[in-house]
Amino acid sequence: MKKYDVRSCTILRKNRLTGDIYDVTVEAGLLAEAARPGQFAQIAVPGKTLRRPISICEIGAAEHTLRFVFQVRGEGTAILAGFEPGEALDVLAPLGHGFELGDTSRRVLFVGGGIGLPPLLAAARTFGANASVVAGFRSRDAVILRDDFEACGCHMMIATDDGSLGHHGLVTELLSGLAFDAVFACGPLPMLRAVSALAAERGVPCQVSMEERMACGIGACLGCAVSLRGPDGAERYGHVCKDGPVFDSSILFL
Amino acid sequence: MKKYDVRSCTILRKNRLTGDIYDVTVEAGLLAEAARPGQFAQIAVPGKTLRRPISICEIGAAEHTLRFVFQVRGEGTAILAGFEPGEALDVLAPLGHGFELGDTSRRVLFVGGGIGLPPLLAAARTFGANASVVAGFRSRDAVILRDDFEACGCHMMIATDDGSLGHHGLVTELLSGLAFDAVFACGPLPMLRAVSALAAERGVPCQVSMEERMACGIGACLGCAVSLRGPDGAERYGHVCKDGPVFDSSILFL
Amino acid sequence: MANLNVSIAGVEFKNPLIAASGTFGFGHEFSELYPLSALGGISCKGVTLEERPGNPPPRIAETPAGMLNSVGLQNPGVDHFIRDDLPWLKRQGTEVIANIAGNTLEDYCSMAEKLSETAVDMVELNISCPNVKQGGVQFGTSCAGVEGITAAVRKYCRKPLMVKLSPNVADIAEIAAAAESAGADVVSLINTLTGMRIDIRTRRPVLRNNTGGLSGPAVFPVAVRMVRQVFRRVKIPVVGMGGVSSWSDAAELMLAGASAVQIGTVLFRDPYAPLKITEGLNRYLDENGVKNVSELTGAMREW
Amino acid sequence: MANLNVSIAGVEFKNPLIAASGTFGFGHEFSELYPLSALGGISCKGVTLEERPGNPPPRIAETPAGMLNSVGLQNPGVDHFIRDDLPWLKRQGTEVIANIAGNTLEDYCSMAEKLSETAVDMVELNISCPNVKQGGVQFGTSCAGVEGITAAVRKYCRKPLMVKLSPNVADIAEIAAAAESAGADVVSLINTLTGMRIDIRTRRPVLRNNTGGLSGPAVFPVAVRMVRQVFRRVKIPVVGMGGVSSWSDAAELMLAGASAVQIGTVLFRDPYAPLKITEGLNRYLDENGVKNVSELTGAMREW
Ligand SMILES: Cc1cc2nc3c(=O)[nH]c(=O)nc-3n(C[C@H](O)[C@H](O)[C@H](O)COP(=O)(O)OP(=O)(O)OC[C@H]3O[C@@H](n4cnc5c(N)ncnc54)[C@H](O)[C@@H]3O)c2cc1C
Ligand SMILES: Cc1cc2nc3c(=O)[nH]c(=O)nc-3n(C[C@H](O)[C@H](O)[C@H](O)COP(=O)(O)OP(=O)(O)OC[C@H]3O[C@@H](n4cnc5c(N)ncnc54)[C@H](O)[C@@H]3O)c2cc1C
Ligand SMILES: Cc1cc2nc3c(=O)[nH]c(=O)nc-3n(C[C@H](O)[C@H](O)[C@H](O)COP(=O)(O)O)c2cc1C
Ligand SMILES: Cc1cc2nc3c(=O)[nH]c(=O)nc-3n(C[C@H](O)[C@H](O)[C@H](O)COP(=O)(O)O)c2cc1C
Ligand code: FES
Ligand code: FES
């Protein structure tokens, strides 16, 4: 198997999770075998020059499936949302550097905000009951993947901005009481900043999944630059599609 | 009713007539009321900058329908062929100057080659049994609209290039024995030339439907120029979309 | 409801949407669809001193997200325009811009003089048409050329004078500055980029004129860049165009520096585009609490 | 099966498909998908004398049928390229073109000298990069600039020298002629057209560098026109690029005058594009009884 490849992937299942978030599972053949938690795919959009980067939410290694959960944000994702089961997506995957899972018997913390949840699910599954998942949403209506994380055995806590479900406020306000040996996070920048600061304070490693605008998705065009702190402390550009999307938060300038 | 307008027209029926020729009937509201034989429509194609000009093949005045019969020639028509009943086409119609039918009790001749047939059907219908229709096709497999013309009561003669149906040879070879007071033609240039020469010889009027690449379709952009012979005999540019698509062959440089 | 009115060189446009020259004829055909008063203004098909036949067909080719045209200034001549088209146009309740092109400097001056006697609201100097052999673009691609013709026409033109710039240049800001210094009241940009397509079956150019002018969404990023460059360089108002096809494109071009926006190619796909764009702009302004559309002009913040 | 081989300035390309500089890195990433020997050649990411960090992100914006990039020549420096990338590349069975860019004339000469000692098959002089403050495009938009730098580099360059031209000029044929007269063996065109997009919510340019280079199908008609203009003006071979995304586009650019075709942006949508285009060209040649692909070069007939 190639490290990554292009494949026409038939859609097996498609659901709308909330107003604008779609859940699509495709038959992905060898791509699914090669995929690891935290990696992503570049999905072609008819009529668009560039593919759209979407994280791999789940890997069905046995059935050779990949699951994508994405939000309609602009024209490209709107077109993708129009695809139906039986039709095929043109997928380039698996791409990038996913989560370093390490010892899965550690107690770990997953922190996700809204559409930042999907990239965490495959990794959380490997930790099962050892994972605490703290998830933040706008409101009760915006909650996604709750059942999925719970089905993995994870301990799930929810915060909503409007208090319509769980804690009324920020996810970060739920973290202080928790004990953990490592953190995995994905979501808005302020959240990542707070989580990474907490991890640093506790002296535990923290991995976060980043986004940047992409062209090639494989490291050839140098489009998706991200500032990284080098071993010498100096700033240099790495690339989200190849060096990431998952980075140790200590080398990021969040 | 406006002279022409844009309308989202739901597809009621769609059939494939031959390998690459499609027959689409749409619900067209007032556009159908305004339409006359020989006029055309500009149909928008998703993802394309320009609309595609397609002749009005039939006008269902009572049911408010328009029928289009078109061949897949490039990307635009291929996309249009993918539309299914229930979906809507974005149609600007009726456009241009159609056939001058005149006295429908005259004996008239319709001459069409292949995809040149559809623009003639609505006009032929008004003449019924007074119309002789001479139609040329590549082969038996390429024959279209035969039943339609016959259902109008027209007297139909067919020629095929390979002799697999009707006369083996050119449509023009079928014309010499026929008597007629006027000619209506649409098809490849050599055919139009021959037909128009014959009409001139017999001293009967000949109207032909022309094609040119279009942008606006309504006469504003001056894109679809065609050389016309002015009353003084001098050459000047007219426009297919406004002055045509139907012209008296005596003013064309064929 | 926000105020969509824009004032450019003393001319009041009721909204910043102007039909681009050559895509709207003299308005008759579109008036079958909606009252022309829906538009801020109309830049008429380019006219020349004498009637012109234009280029032989085919004149139109489609390209990715765009099109080529080589109409080549087919028009009935300036006198015919003044006599037969202008009176009707002036009754439609929209500002009328006469777009003029010539073979020679004298042609331009003579047309400007004639139009100064009429009811046209503004004169647009088309020195950037790529589709004619003589005149047009050769005046428009050097600073000296632009300065010379603008200064000459200025002497004869008692209407607000807008100079339309070609994008087929290395430094459009310098060209705009030349127009400004020679007395232009407004610059408009961009005209079409010169392009070509070839039919690989016949091995002939698709256009009978070989080359044509590229317009439509494909050129929009170039238009935004050039409008910004020119906005930063000159003090006179900039009218932007090139590939605008939605209200957000119009807003984008205004943020870049346009005081008003012309739309052309989008009309072929959607003749109702001006109405939709005006409506969309209105909603955007209201949602963002912007009182006057003119506040958008140049409001982009550079990094 | 037609002969796809093309010979340009003494370099034999097994087919006319060359990966465009900056879109293919140094080949490693694409070699995961197919053997690089499928390509006629690879124009490597532009290198500079010293390592460069490139521009801050965002560096990519999508546009209608195109994209903007402002990567800004992020690269590890020419020495690193020669030491770490070139040996591997040379083993892949394809022609290797070094694309060089500099701040100063001396930079260019020094790189050309270094590369002349290596196994690179050709040097491509990038004097047309719009995304760097110094060097790059300022050399590329005047005849004097192009002539000066080409003549200087020529003295140090013992490899076939290809000069890559910017489309952001009024007369690209004159620029090409300047390169030819100063000793270029080949010209390649087009580099990107400068463009900009603005985020109407933030009122900031989408690209952190404000402007970027436009590439992709949107620019194809401009590329065809410029390749034709240059082909008619110079005697040296022309390598064409700009928006090629299918075999028929490649054929079209060759008919316009290209001896070979570079492809860039299409790779992002379809990394297998070079294979498909080569296959399509092959079929087209066979169907039309053309024995050598090079017979297409310039075979368009003007009207
Ligand atoms: C590694 C990675 C993983 C991602 N995973 C997911 C996911 O699992 N689910 C999900 O809903 N979204 C995910 N995103 C964000 C998603 O890629 C964007 O929402 C999407 O590209 C927007 O495309 P559009 O055409 O709808 O929006 P538009 O704004 O119209 O897109 C215009 C251009 O900008 C790019 N772009 C816009 N927003 C982003 C963004 N946030 N990140 C990168 N490029 C962007 C688009 O790809 C396109 O090239 C991920 C992004 C990255 C980089
Ligand atoms: C007044 C008129 C009536 C027509 N009626 C019919 C009809 O009833 N049935 C039918 O099958 N065809 C008809 N045509 C031809 C039809 O418009 C073209 O086949 C169609 O536009 C091809 O589009 P495409 O995208 O598939 O091809 P492409 O070649 O990809 O099109 C590229 C561009 O060229 C234009 N173009 C290509 N061929 C023609 C052509 N022959 N005439 C005008 N423009 C062309 C396209 O509209 C488009 O702008 C008519 C043309 C005209 C002008
Ligand atoms: C068919 C056509 C004809 C045109 N004729 C003229 C003209 O006569 N005078 C002129 O100044 N510009 C002319 N233009 C250029 C447009 O006014 C405008 O500058 C250009 O098309 C870019 O805008 P757009 O992308 O919105 O069409 C013409 C454009 C098209 C498409
Ligand atoms: C992301 C990106 C990076 C580029 N970097 C370079 C470069 O380093 N040197 C160069 O000469 N051209 C560079 N180019 C320009 C391309 O080589 C090519 O000239 C241009 O993209 C047009 O071709 P295309 O439309 O096929 O992409 C770059 C283009 C892109 C899209
Ligand atoms: S997207 Fe090309 S390097 Fe990351
Ligand atoms: S297509 Fe515009 S005038 Fe005919």
Side-chain angles (χ1 to χ4, degrees), chain B residues 2-6 44-52 212-216 218-223 225 237 239 242, chain C residues 22-25 29-30 32-33 53-60 62-63 65-67 71 74 206 265 268-269 271-272:
Chain B
K2 297 172 180 177
K3 213 163 131 189
Y4 41 80
D5 205 355
V6 174
V45 181
K48 294 285 170 183
T49 310
L50 299 176
R51 290 171 177 262
R52 297 300 187 263
E212 191 44 79
R213 292 182 179 240
M214 295 186 175
C216 72
I218 58 177
C221 77
L222 311 184
Y237 289 124
H239 295 93
K242 195 173 190 174
Chain C
T23 63
F24 207 78
E29 295 79 12
F30 284 87
E32 297 282 345
L33 297 172
N55 290 319
R59 296 177 172 183
I60 302 285
E62 206 183 46
T63 70
M67 62 174 281
V71 169
Q74 172 170 11
V206 174
T265 302
F268 305 150
R269 166 76 209 229
Y272 285 97

Side-chain angles (χ1 to χ4, degrees), chain D residues 165-243:
Chain D
L165 307 181
S166 167
N168 301 294
V169 297
D171 188 347
I172 198 162
E174 285 311 303
I175 304 265
E180 179 182 44
S181 74
D185 299 306
V186 191
V187 283
S188 59
L189 61 146
I190 59 176
N191 209 317
T192 53
L193 274 160
T194 307
M196 178 157 84
R197 290 303 304 265
I198 303 165
D199 182 331
I200 64 168
R201 279 168 311 125
T202 62
R203 299 189 171 188
R204 290 276 195 196
V206 173
L207 300 176
R208 190 65 174 71
N209 188 52
N210 296 312
T211 59
L214 181 64
S215 62
V219 308
F220 182 64
V222 176
V224 175
R225 184 261 295 184
M226 289 187 163
V227 164
R228 184 66 186 177
Q229 267 184 297
V230 169
F231 173 78
R232 291 182 49 150
R233 183 72 174 78
V234 301
K235 296 206 168 52
I236 54 177
V238 179
V239 169
M241 79 194 89

Side-chain angles (χ1 to χ4, degrees), chain A residues 2 4-5 50 222 242, chain D residues 29 33 59 62 269 272:
Chain A
K2 297 171 179 178
Y4 41 80
D5 205 353
L50 299 175
L222 311 183
K242 192 170 192 175
Chain D
E29 295 78 12
L33 296 173
R59 293 176 174 183
E62 207 183 46
R269 165 76 209 229
Y272 285 97

Side-chain angles (χ1 to χ4, degrees), chain C residues 257-273:
Chain C
S259 294
V261 170
Q262 292 190 17
I263 52 172
T265 302
V266 65
L267 294 163
F268 305 150
R269 166 76 209 229
D270 183 4
Y272 285 97

Side-chain angles (χ1 to χ4, degrees), chain B residues 37 57 99 101 108 110 117 119-133 148-149 152-154 184:
Chain B
C57 172
F99 291 104
L101 301 176
V108 294
F110 286 84
L117 265 297
L120 302 176
L121 183 56
R125 180 177 299 281
T126 65
F127 286 94
N130 293 327
S132 296
V133 179
D148 296 85
F149 279 101
C152 298
C154 306
F184 302 85

Side-chain angles (χ1 to χ4, degrees), chain B residues 215 220-223, chain C residues 19-24 43-47 59-60 67-74 99-101 124-131 164-165 188-193 213-220 241-245 262-268:
Chain B
C221 77
L222 311 184
Chain C
S21 178
T23 63
F24 207 78
S43 175
C44 298
K45 173 64 195 171
V47 290
R59 296 177 172 183
I60 302 285
M67 62 174 281
L68 294 173
N69 89 80
S70 60
V71 169
L73 288 177
Q74 172 170 11
N99 179 283
I100 63 172
E124 186 173 45
L125 210 59
N126 177 5
I127 49 173
S128 49
C129 181
N131 293 323
K164 185 162 176 182
L165 308 180
S188 59
L189 61 148
I190 57 178
N191 210 317
T192 53
L193 275 159
L214 180 65
S215 62
V219 308
F220 183 63
M241 80 194 89
V244 170
S245 55
Q262 292 190 17
I263 52 172
T265 302
V266 65
L267 294 163
F268 305 150

